[in-house]
Amino acid sequence: MTQPRRNKQLHPLRKRCNNALPRMTPRELLHRLSSGQASLRAACANAYGHHPDLIETACTRLWALARHYADTFSPDDSIVVVRAPGRVNLIGEHTDYNGLPVMPMAISRDVLVMASRAADMSVSISNVEGMFEPRAFLLERHIPPFAPGDWGNYVKSAMQGLIDHWGSADGLSGLRMAISGNVPVASGLSSSAAFTIACALALLTVHKRALDPLQFADVMAQSDHYVGMASGGMDQAASILGRAGACLKIDFFPLRVQPVQLPPGTAIVVCHSRVKAAKAGNARDEYNRRVVECRLATAVLHAAAPSSAREPQLLSQWLAWDTSGLDDAVARINATLHPEPYRLPELARILSLSEEKLRATLCTTKTGIRCSEPPNGFHLLKRARHVITETRRVEAALAVLTAMPPDAARRFGELMNQSHVSCRDDYAISCPELEELVSAARDAGAYGARLTGAGFGGCTVNLVPADAAPQFIQAVNRAYYAPHQLDHLPDNQFIFAPASGAGVLVA
Ligand code: GLA
């Protein structure tokens, strides 16, 4: 595998700050917006692209944000404005928490935060769209969470993540924050990562503190655990390190990012199944169970052929000690793990642990959530096989996009299709609606179509010929949205170009 260098200059979060407008009041911002000031439009173009429609949309959102802030807090506070995008994952699903690569891109939908320094340590948050009730809490070394599932925990996780990184809340003051987002929620497009990162960037910017973007992505990935997800670092890395015009091959431990171009003449169309994949509900439990199954598989594979090295915790570590490569790793998984689900007594015997010890260690996520044995047992063969074959597909996708042969779109699309089959059959994260959407997309001429994100609902991602994207959208509308009587809803389908990562509009 090629290992791109860890290069600070690749991701100029700081440069994005340098292009930002100086701190101002909401009153001034509203005035500049109403006079169509050139520097403001330039800042929006820098973040969203130069098309007049994109700049107009950005100005409209900023207007609503400034009005909301002024009405909720004060029109005369000295404010900063930051943004963090959602992401769509093209290939490499459920590999990140195994330490294995992914290939997402940041999208043009994002979360905007307008913030100012509070007079005390209180953090107050108000949402422009009114989707979330206002929340307030105190900034302190250890911030106690709200009730499980409360949206305010995402704000707390952002603050706690940075405070943990600094080791103290000294020198900080609280924040007044107005938040506006247009990333569809619970759709597999990482609205929660966008939200958390925007809040953290607001804290950094208000306090004029800086973090290297790669380190920021690592800190934010850790902070996700505050909300009980044992997730990997893909969403945070894509949102922070996103590049306009490029998707990202991301490797972990240490975090490394390589921008790659999509095949020429293609477009990415994302279709929402309208099945909610809520991180706070059943999808979270299913997700955490997959994490546990991967850890159990790693332990069983190691027990079957122990290496002299330290016991691997992740499939990436097991792989690294298996020098014979990915193809051979798949063969070894097929030969070592049996297809029947594993029950706790058998696992305890193989791993020479008591069942209680097993429950308390490998079956407990690093967020402290104990994952009970599923009624049919743990599926180790299928889960490990998905992760390793998916890794092989990500590497193959990178090779296609790097060499960019004339049939790159077809070959990349084929890898996406194979990824979907593996997500469905080996990882069991699809659902009937996603299946319908994927087959509608293939019938409508997609080079490749697959579920994206954690699964269990949410969106599909489709690689389509760019000039046929409008017809593709109509065909999927006829095949899926109309029969399900969803065609009246906004935001069913999106054409996304790779967008730039998190940044600062007003510093
Ligand atoms: C969620 C997690 C990510 C990743 C994906 C699945 O989005 O937050 O870390 O594991 O699921 O690929």
Side-chain angles (χ1 to χ4, degrees), residues 87 89 92-94 96-97 229 231-235 279 287 453-454:
R87 64 97 189 95
N89 191 20
E93 220 62 86
H94 288 263
D96 60 350
Y97 52 80
M229 282 283 286
S231 53
M234 166 171 66
D235 309 345
K279 270 194 167 179
Y287 183 96

Side-chain angles (χ1 to χ4, degrees), residues 45-107:
N46 189 41
Y48 294 101
H50 291 268
H51 194 286
D53 289 355
L54 297 174
I55 299 176
E56 224 33 68
T57 307
C59 289
T60 307
R61 290 176 68 209
L62 278 175
W63 175 276
L65 189 62
R67 270 258 59 91
H68 186 83
Y69 186 101
D71 294 346
T72 311
F73 301 113
S74 155
D76 297 313
D77 284 349
S78 172
I79 50 102
V80 304
V81 181
V82 300
R83 56 173 287 277
R87 64 97 189 95
V88 59
N89 191 20
L90 304 178
I91 196 159
E93 220 62 86
H94 288 263
T95 44
D96 60 350
Y97 52 80
N98 287 291
L100 293 165
V102 294
M103 195 181 281
M105 63 185 217
I107 58 176

Side-chain angles (χ1 to χ4, degrees), residues 386-403:
H386 164 77
V387 172
I388 304 301
T389 57
E390 186 75 350
T391 298
R392 199 167 54 182
R393 285 183 285 272
V394 176
E395 296 301 335
L398 177 69
V400 168
L401 297 186
T402 312

Side-chain angles (χ1 to χ4, degrees), residues 272-288:
H272 196 334
S273 69
R274 294 286 170 187
V275 177
K276 281 207 183 301
K279 270 194 167 179
N282 183 45
R284 187 188 72 175
D285 297 342
E286 287 291 341
Y287 183 96
N288 286 339

